[in-house]
Amino acid sequence: MKYNIILLSLVPLFLNSCATVPKAMTASAASSLKPHERINWPKEYLPEEAPFTVSNEIQINASPQVVWKDLIDYKAWPTYYQGADPVTLTDASQTKLQADSVMIWKTMGLNFTSTIKEYEPNRRLSWESANSKIRGYHAWLIVPQGNGCKLITEESQHGWLTFFQKTFVPTKLSKLHDDWLAGIKQRAETLNQ
């Protein structure tokens, strides 16, 4: 009887995992965007082929230059983003993220080595992260709009751990990214005053 109750309580989780987690963006939706508003996905991380993806964005009343300064300030992330334990770079002389930076950090309870793959100041930042359980590509895009900008972040993941993430905590990463965006927005808009 006790096991039946446990099994019945797992049914909603199983049914929820069978539902499709929304992809970051379908190919047809992405094609309607201007080239500067799209993520430059490496072929192996295309969202439509990845087992797990998230996409988040926020409007910020600050210039792309101000947002960029916050985005590359990796030492400040833990002060406003709970998803990043202290972040260090393999090159200790780098005080901000650079085009050749390699980060060692902990996020979502896992240790990662992340290598910068795209670095276009005031516009694009992307890194590839890996460990033995999961690998992912995390991209940031700053799109100028009027007196401010839109900050977009998307992540595409592969690896056996993605099944468990999709099944048991399908919205955790998206919520963490929303918090990260909100932290950048608050810092950038405060600096912009």
PDB file of all heavy atoms in Angstrom, residues 148-174:
ATOM      1  N   GLY A 148      17.771  52.105 -24.531  1.00  0.00           N
ATOM      2  CA  GLY A 148      18.216  50.965 -23.732  1.00  0.00           C
ATOM      3  C   GLY A 148      18.555  49.793 -24.619  1.00  0.00           C
ATOM      4  O   GLY A 148      19.069  49.958 -25.726  1.00  0.00           O
ATOM      5  N   CYS A 149      18.239  48.607 -24.118  1.00  0.00           N
ATOM      6  CA  CYS A 149      18.520  47.403 -24.894  1.00  0.00           C
ATOM      7  C   CYS A 149      17.704  46.236 -24.352  1.00  0.00           C
ATOM      8  O   CYS A 149      17.131  46.300 -23.266  1.00  0.00           O
ATOM      9  CB  CYS A 149      20.015  47.069 -24.855  1.00  0.00           C
ATOM     10  SG  CYS A 149      20.664  46.739 -23.212  1.00  0.00           S
ATOM     11  N   LYS A 150      17.679  45.197 -25.149  1.00  0.00           N
ATOM     12  CA  LYS A 150      17.097  43.927 -24.721  1.00  0.00           C
ATOM     13  C   LYS A 150      18.271  42.987 -24.488  1.00  0.00           C
ATOM     14  O   LYS A 150      19.172  42.895 -25.320  1.00  0.00           O
ATOM     15  CB  LYS A 150      16.163  43.378 -25.801  1.00  0.00           C
ATOM     16  CG  LYS A 150      15.592  42.022 -25.467  1.00  0.00           C
ATOM     17  CD  LYS A 150      14.443  41.600 -26.381  1.00  0.00           C
ATOM     18  CE  LYS A 150      14.743  41.684 -27.845  1.00  0.00           C
ATOM     19  NZ  LYS A 150      13.667  41.127 -28.683  1.00  0.00           N
ATOM     20  N   LEU A 151      18.269  42.308 -23.350  1.00  0.00           N
ATOM     21  CA  LEU A 151      19.300  41.320 -23.052  1.00  0.00           C
ATOM     22  C   LEU A 151      18.653  39.945 -23.146  1.00  0.00           C
ATOM     23  O   LEU A 151      17.675  39.658 -22.465  1.00  0.00           O
ATOM     24  CB  LEU A 151      19.895  41.541 -21.661  1.00  0.00           C
ATOM     25  CG  LEU A 151      20.996  40.574 -21.219  1.00  0.00           C
ATOM     26  CD1 LEU A 151      22.188  40.602 -22.183  1.00  0.00           C
ATOM     27  CD2 LEU A 151      21.453  40.900 -19.795  1.00  0.00           C
ATOM     28  N   ILE A 152      19.208  39.113 -24.016  1.00  0.00           N
ATOM     29  CA  ILE A 152      18.693  37.764 -24.257  1.00  0.00           C
ATOM     30  C   ILE A 152      19.750  36.773 -23.789  1.00  0.00           C
ATOM     31  O   ILE A 152      20.940  36.966 -24.051  1.00  0.00           O
ATOM     32  CB  ILE A 152      18.425  37.547 -25.761  1.00  0.00           C
ATOM     33  CG1 ILE A 152      17.406  38.560 -26.286  1.00  0.00           C
ATOM     34  CG2 ILE A 152      17.965  36.107 -26.035  1.00  0.00           C
ATOM     35  CD1 ILE A 152      17.321  38.625 -27.804  1.00  0.00           C
ATOM     36  N   THR A 153      19.320  35.735 -23.104  1.00  0.00           N
ATOM     37  CA  THR A 153      20.227  34.646 -22.774  1.00  0.00           C
ATOM     38  C   THR A 153      19.545  33.329 -23.097  1.00  0.00           C
ATOM     39  O   THR A 153      18.365  33.149 -22.810  1.00  0.00           O
ATOM     40  CB  THR A 153      20.714  34.699 -21.302  1.00  0.00           C
ATOM     41  OG1 THR A 153      21.725  33.708 -21.125  1.00  0.00           O
ATOM     42  CG2 THR A 153      19.605  34.478 -20.312  1.00  0.00           C
ATOM     43  N   GLU A 154      20.273  32.462 -23.771  1.00  0.00           N
ATOM     44  CA  GLU A 154      19.749  31.150 -24.151  1.00  0.00           C
ATOM     45  C   GLU A 154      20.796  30.097 -23.858  1.00  0.00           C
ATOM     46  O   GLU A 154      21.997  30.366 -23.937  1.00  0.00           O
ATOM     47  CB  GLU A 154      19.375  31.115 -25.634  1.00  0.00           C
ATOM     48  CG  GLU A 154      18.239  32.064 -25.974  1.00  0.00           C
ATOM     49  CD  GLU A 154      17.744  31.930 -27.404  1.00  0.00           C
ATOM     50  OE1 GLU A 154      18.047  30.919 -28.063  1.00  0.00           O
ATOM     51  OE2 GLU A 154      17.053  32.846 -27.863  1.00  0.00           O
ATOM     52  N   GLU A 155      20.322  28.911 -23.498  1.00  0.00           N
ATOM     53  CA  GLU A 155      21.232  27.811 -23.216  1.00  0.00           C
ATOM     54  C   GLU A 155      20.687  26.529 -23.821  1.00  0.00           C
ATOM     55  O   GLU A 155      19.490  26.258 -23.769  1.00  0.00           O
ATOM     56  CB  GLU A 155      21.414  27.635 -21.708  1.00  0.00           C
ATOM     57  CG  GLU A 155      22.467  26.621 -21.355  1.00  0.00           C
ATOM     58  CD  GLU A 155      22.890  26.677 -19.909  1.00  0.00           C
ATOM     59  OE1 GLU A 155      22.766  27.745 -19.271  1.00  0.00           O
ATOM     60  OE2 GLU A 155      23.359  25.624 -19.406  1.00  0.00           O
ATOM     61  N   SER A 156      21.579  25.752 -24.393  1.00  0.00           N
ATOM     62  CA  SER A 156      21.266  24.471 -25.021  1.00  0.00           C
ATOM     63  C   SER A 156      22.163  23.423 -24.378  1.00  0.00           C
ATOM     64  O   SER A 156      23.363  23.657 -24.228  1.00  0.00           O
ATOM     65  CB  SER A 156      21.535  24.586 -26.523  1.00  0.00           C
ATOM     66  OG  SER A 156      21.421  23.342 -27.148  1.00  0.00           O
ATOM     67  N   GLN A 157      21.581  22.269 -23.991  1.00  0.00           N
ATOM     68  CA  GLN A 157      22.348  21.276 -23.252  1.00  0.00           C
ATOM     69  C   GLN A 157      22.237  19.875 -23.836  1.00  0.00           C
ATOM     70  O   GLN A 157      21.210  19.515 -24.416  1.00  0.00           O
ATOM     71  CB  GLN A 157      21.871  21.209 -21.794  1.00  0.00           C
ATOM     72  CG  GLN A 157      22.051  22.480 -21.018  1.00  0.00           C
ATOM     73  CD  GLN A 157      21.520  22.361 -19.606  1.00  0.00           C
ATOM     74  OE1 GLN A 157      20.883  21.393 -19.228  1.00  0.00           O
ATOM     75  NE2 GLN A 157      21.798  23.372 -18.806  1.00  0.00           N
ATOM     76  N   HIS A 158      23.294  19.093 -23.618  1.00  0.00           N
ATOM     77  CA  HIS A 158      23.354  17.675 -23.971  1.00  0.00           C
ATOM     78  C   HIS A 158      23.934  16.924 -22.784  1.00  0.00           C
ATOM     79  O   HIS A 158      24.581  17.513 -21.923  1.00  0.00           O
ATOM     80  CB  HIS A 158      24.264  17.451 -25.187  1.00  0.00           C
ATOM     81  CG  HIS A 158      23.724  18.008 -26.455  1.00  0.00           C
ATOM     82  ND1 HIS A 158      22.781  17.362 -27.205  1.00  0.00           N
ATOM     83  CD2 HIS A 158      23.981  19.174 -27.091  1.00  0.00           C
ATOM     84  CE1 HIS A 158      22.496  18.090 -28.265  1.00  0.00           C
ATOM     85  NE2 HIS A 158      23.209  19.209 -28.223  1.00  0.00           N
ATOM     86  N   GLY A 159      23.746  15.621 -22.770  1.00  0.00           N
ATOM     87  CA  GLY A 159      24.310  14.784 -21.723  1.00  0.00           C
ATOM     88  C   GLY A 159      23.216  14.059 -20.966  1.00  0.00           C
ATOM     89  O   GLY A 159      22.049  14.465 -20.983  1.00  0.00           O
ATOM     90  N   TRP A 160      23.601  12.976 -20.295  1.00  0.00           N
ATOM     91  CA  TRP A 160      22.594  12.145 -19.650  1.00  0.00           C
ATOM     92  C   TRP A 160      21.851  12.860 -18.538  1.00  0.00           C
ATOM     93  O   TRP A 160      20.699  12.564 -18.249  1.00  0.00           O
ATOM     94  CB  TRP A 160      23.203  10.830 -19.150  1.00  0.00           C
ATOM     95  CG  TRP A 160      24.236  10.966 -18.069  1.00  0.00           C
ATOM     96  CD1 TRP A 160      25.579  11.053 -18.230  1.00  0.00           C
ATOM     97  CD2 TRP A 160      23.998  11.023 -16.658  1.00  0.00           C
ATOM     98  NE1 TRP A 160      26.205  11.161 -17.015  1.00  0.00           N
ATOM     99  CE2 TRP A 160      25.254  11.143 -16.019  1.00  0.00           C
ATOM    100  CE3 TRP A 160      22.853  10.994 -15.868  1.00  0.00           C
ATOM    101  CZ2 TRP A 160      25.389  11.236 -14.642  1.00  0.00           C
ATOM    102  CZ3 TRP A 160      22.990  11.079 -14.487  1.00  0.00           C
ATOM    103  CH2 TRP A 160      24.245  11.190 -13.900  1.00  0.00           C
ATOM    104  N   LEU A 161      22.457  13.864 -17.915  1.00  0.00           N
ATOM    105  CA  LEU A 161      21.799  14.563 -16.817  1.00  0.00           C
ATOM    106  C   LEU A 161      20.642  15.451 -17.304  1.00  0.00           C
ATOM    107  O   LEU A 161      19.766  15.802 -16.515  1.00  0.00           O
ATOM    108  CB  LEU A 161      22.817  15.394 -16.045  1.00  0.00           C
ATOM    109  CG  LEU A 161      22.398  15.898 -14.678  1.00  0.00           C
ATOM    110  CD1 LEU A 161      21.978  14.763 -13.755  1.00  0.00           C
ATOM    111  CD2 LEU A 161      23.514  16.702 -14.044  1.00  0.00           C
ATOM    112  N   THR A 162      20.621  15.786 -18.582  1.00  0.00           N
ATOM    113  CA  THR A 162      19.533  16.633 -19.092  1.00  0.00           C
ATOM    114  C   THR A 162      18.170  15.963 -18.910  1.00  0.00           C
ATOM    115  O   THR A 162      17.177  16.643 -18.693  1.00  0.00           O
ATOM    116  CB  THR A 162      19.728  16.988 -20.582  1.00  0.00           C
ATOM    117  OG1 THR A 162      19.783  15.790 -21.338  1.00  0.00           O
ATOM    118  CG2 THR A 162      20.972  17.807 -20.795  1.00  0.00           C
ATOM    119  N   PHE A 163      18.114  14.622 -19.002  1.00  0.00           N
ATOM    120  CA  PHE A 163      16.841  13.910 -18.799  1.00  0.00           C
ATOM    121  C   PHE A 163      16.289  14.205 -17.409  1.00  0.00           C
ATOM    122  O   PHE A 163      15.113  14.517 -17.248  1.00  0.00           O
ATOM    123  CB  PHE A 163      17.010  12.397 -18.979  1.00  0.00           C
ATOM    124  CG  PHE A 163      15.821  11.625 -18.484  1.00  0.00           C
ATOM    125  CD1 PHE A 163      14.676  11.521 -19.263  1.00  0.00           C
ATOM    126  CD2 PHE A 163      15.828  11.041 -17.227  1.00  0.00           C
ATOM    127  CE1 PHE A 163      13.562  10.831 -18.798  1.00  0.00           C
ATOM    128  CE2 PHE A 163      14.720  10.355 -16.753  1.00  0.00           C
ATOM    129  CZ  PHE A 163      13.584  10.250 -17.538  1.00  0.00           C
ATOM    130  N   PHE A 164      17.142  14.123 -16.396  1.00  0.00           N
ATOM    131  CA  PHE A 164      16.686  14.344 -15.021  1.00  0.00           C
ATOM    132  C   PHE A 164      16.317  15.804 -14.793  1.00  0.00           C
ATOM    133  O   PHE A 164      15.348  16.106 -14.106  1.00  0.00           O
ATOM    134  CB  PHE A 164      17.756  13.884 -14.027  1.00  0.00           C
ATOM    135  CG  PHE A 164      17.946  12.397 -14.063  1.00  0.00           C
ATOM    136  CD1 PHE A 164      18.999  11.844 -14.760  1.00  0.00           C
ATOM    137  CD2 PHE A 164      17.048  11.549 -13.429  1.00  0.00           C
ATOM    138  CE1 PHE A 164      19.167  10.475 -14.817  1.00  0.00           C
ATOM    139  CE2 PHE A 164      17.205  10.172 -13.477  1.00  0.00           C
ATOM    140  CZ  PHE A 164      18.268   9.631 -14.180  1.00  0.00           C
ATOM    141  N   GLN A 165      17.070  16.697 -15.390  1.00  0.00           N
ATOM    142  CA  GLN A 165      16.748  18.117 -15.272  1.00  0.00           C
ATOM    143  C   GLN A 165      15.388  18.396 -15.905  1.00  0.00           C
ATOM    144  O   GLN A 165      14.543  19.063 -15.321  1.00  0.00           O
ATOM    145  CB  GLN A 165      17.845  18.950 -15.940  1.00  0.00           C
ATOM    146  CG  GLN A 165      17.623  20.444 -15.818  1.00  0.00           C
ATOM    147  CD  GLN A 165      18.823  21.222 -16.276  1.00  0.00           C
ATOM    148  OE1 GLN A 165      19.700  21.513 -15.488  1.00  0.00           O
ATOM    149  NE2 GLN A 165      18.858  21.558 -17.544  1.00  0.00           N
ATOM    150  N   LYS A 166      15.171  17.885 -17.088  1.00  0.00           N
ATOM    151  CA  LYS A 166      13.914  18.091 -17.805  1.00  0.00           C
ATOM    152  C   LYS A 166      12.740  17.448 -17.061  1.00  0.00           C
ATOM    153  O   LYS A 166      11.639  17.985 -17.033  1.00  0.00           O
ATOM    154  CB  LYS A 166      14.039  17.504 -19.214  1.00  0.00           C
ATOM    155  CG  LYS A 166      12.864  17.750 -20.103  1.00  0.00           C
ATOM    156  CD  LYS A 166      13.161  17.198 -21.490  1.00  0.00           C
ATOM    157  CE  LYS A 166      12.008  17.368 -22.426  1.00  0.00           C
ATOM    158  NZ  LYS A 166      12.317  16.880 -23.764  1.00  0.00           N
ATOM    159  N   THR A 167      12.989  16.312 -16.420  1.00  0.00           N
ATOM    160  CA  THR A 167      11.936  15.577 -15.741  1.00  0.00           C
ATOM    161  C   THR A 167      11.593  16.158 -14.374  1.00  0.00           C
ATOM    162  O   THR A 167      10.428  16.341 -14.044  1.00  0.00           O
ATOM    163  CB  THR A 167      12.345  14.094 -15.574  1.00  0.00           C
ATOM    164  OG1 THR A 167      12.619  13.562 -16.867  1.00  0.00           O
ATOM    165  CG2 THR A 167      11.250  13.295 -14.912  1.00  0.00           C
ATOM    166  N   PHE A 168      12.600  16.439 -13.567  1.00  0.00           N
ATOM    167  CA  PHE A 168      12.346  16.786 -12.175  1.00  0.00           C
ATOM    168  C   PHE A 168      12.426  18.271 -11.844  1.00  0.00           C
ATOM    169  O   PHE A 168      11.805  18.712 -10.882  1.00  0.00           O
ATOM    170  CB  PHE A 168      13.292  15.987 -11.266  1.00  0.00           C
ATOM    171  CG  PHE A 168      13.066  14.505 -11.362  1.00  0.00           C
ATOM    172  CD1 PHE A 168      13.972  13.698 -12.010  1.00  0.00           C
ATOM    173  CD2 PHE A 168      11.916  13.924 -10.843  1.00  0.00           C
ATOM    174  CE1 PHE A 168      13.757  12.326 -12.121  1.00  0.00           C
ATOM    175  CE2 PHE A 168      11.685  12.564 -10.951  1.00  0.00           C
ATOM    176  CZ  PHE A 168      12.602  11.759 -11.595  1.00  0.00           C
ATOM    177  N   VAL A 169      13.200  19.032 -12.588  1.00  0.00           N
ATOM    178  CA  VAL A 169      13.304  20.473 -12.325  1.00  0.00           C
ATOM    179  C   VAL A 169      13.298  21.250 -13.655  1.00  0.00           C
ATOM    180  O   VAL A 169      14.221  22.008 -13.944  1.00  0.00           O
ATOM    181  CB  VAL A 169      14.566  20.809 -11.490  1.00  0.00           C
ATOM    182  CG1 VAL A 169      14.413  20.359 -10.054  1.00  0.00           C
ATOM    183  CG2 VAL A 169      15.832  20.226 -12.105  1.00  0.00           C
ATOM    184  N   PRO A 170      12.246  21.078 -14.461  1.00  0.00           N
ATOM    185  CA  PRO A 170      12.263  21.655 -15.810  1.00  0.00           C
ATOM    186  C   PRO A 170      12.305  23.178 -15.862  1.00  0.00           C
ATOM    187  O   PRO A 170      12.719  23.742 -16.866  1.00  0.00           O
ATOM    188  CB  PRO A 170      10.971  21.124 -16.426  1.00  0.00           C
ATOM    189  CG  PRO A 170      10.080  20.829 -15.273  1.00  0.00           C
ATOM    190  CD  PRO A 170      10.998  20.389 -14.161  1.00  0.00           C
ATOM    191  N   THR A 171      11.907  23.857 -14.784  1.00  0.00           N
ATOM    192  CA  THR A 171      11.899  25.323 -14.821  1.00  0.00           C
ATOM    193  C   THR A 171      13.001  25.954 -13.973  1.00  0.00           C
ATOM    194  O   THR A 171      13.133  27.167 -13.957  1.00  0.00           O
ATOM    195  CB  THR A 171      10.535  25.865 -14.351  1.00  0.00           C
ATOM    196  OG1 THR A 171      10.303  25.437 -13.004  1.00  0.00           O
ATOM    197  CG2 THR A 171       9.412  25.382 -15.256  1.00  0.00           C
ATOM    198  N   LYS A 172      13.784  25.146 -13.276  1.00  0.00           N
ATOM    199  CA  LYS A 172      14.800  25.697 -12.365  1.00  0.00           C
ATOM    200  C   LYS A 172      15.805  26.578 -13.090  1.00  0.00           C
ATOM    201  O   LYS A 172      16.083  27.698 -12.654  1.00  0.00           O
ATOM    202  CB  LYS A 172      15.518  24.574 -11.627  1.00  0.00           C
ATOM    203  CG  LYS A 172      16.537  25.100 -10.627  1.00  0.00           C
ATOM    204  CD  LYS A 172      17.209  23.991  -9.852  1.00  0.00           C
ATOM    205  CE  LYS A 172      18.215  24.572  -8.864  1.00  0.00           C
ATOM    206  NZ  LYS A 172      18.871  23.539  -8.068  1.00  0.00           N
ATOM    207  N   LEU A 173      16.359  26.103 -14.190  1.00  0.00           N
ATOM    208  CA  LEU A 173      17.371  26.878 -14.906  1.00  0.00           C
ATOM    209  C   LEU A 173      16.775  28.165 -15.472  1.00  0.00           C
ATOM    210  O   LEU A 173      17.385  29.235 -15.392  1.00  0.00           O
ATOM    211  CB  LEU A 173      18.014  26.051 -16.018  1.00  0.00           C
ATOM    212  CG  LEU A 173      19.188  26.712 -16.742  1.00  0.00           C
ATOM    213  CD1 LEU A 173      20.319  27.048 -15.773  1.00  0.00           C
ATOM    214  CD2 LEU A 173      19.696  25.816 -17.858  1.00  0.00           C
ATOM    215  N   SER A 174      15.573  28.092 -15.998  1.00  0.00           N
ATOM    216  CA  SER A 174      14.920  29.288 -16.528  1.00  0.00           C
ATOM    217  C   SER A 174      14.694  30.323 -15.427  1.00  0.00           C
ATOM    218  O   SER A 174      14.922  31.521 -15.632  1.00  0.00           O
ATOM    219  CB  SER A 174      13.592  28.909 -17.189  1.00  0.00           C
ATOM    220  OG  SER A 174      13.003  30.041 -17.771  1.00  0.00           O
TER     221      SER A 174
END
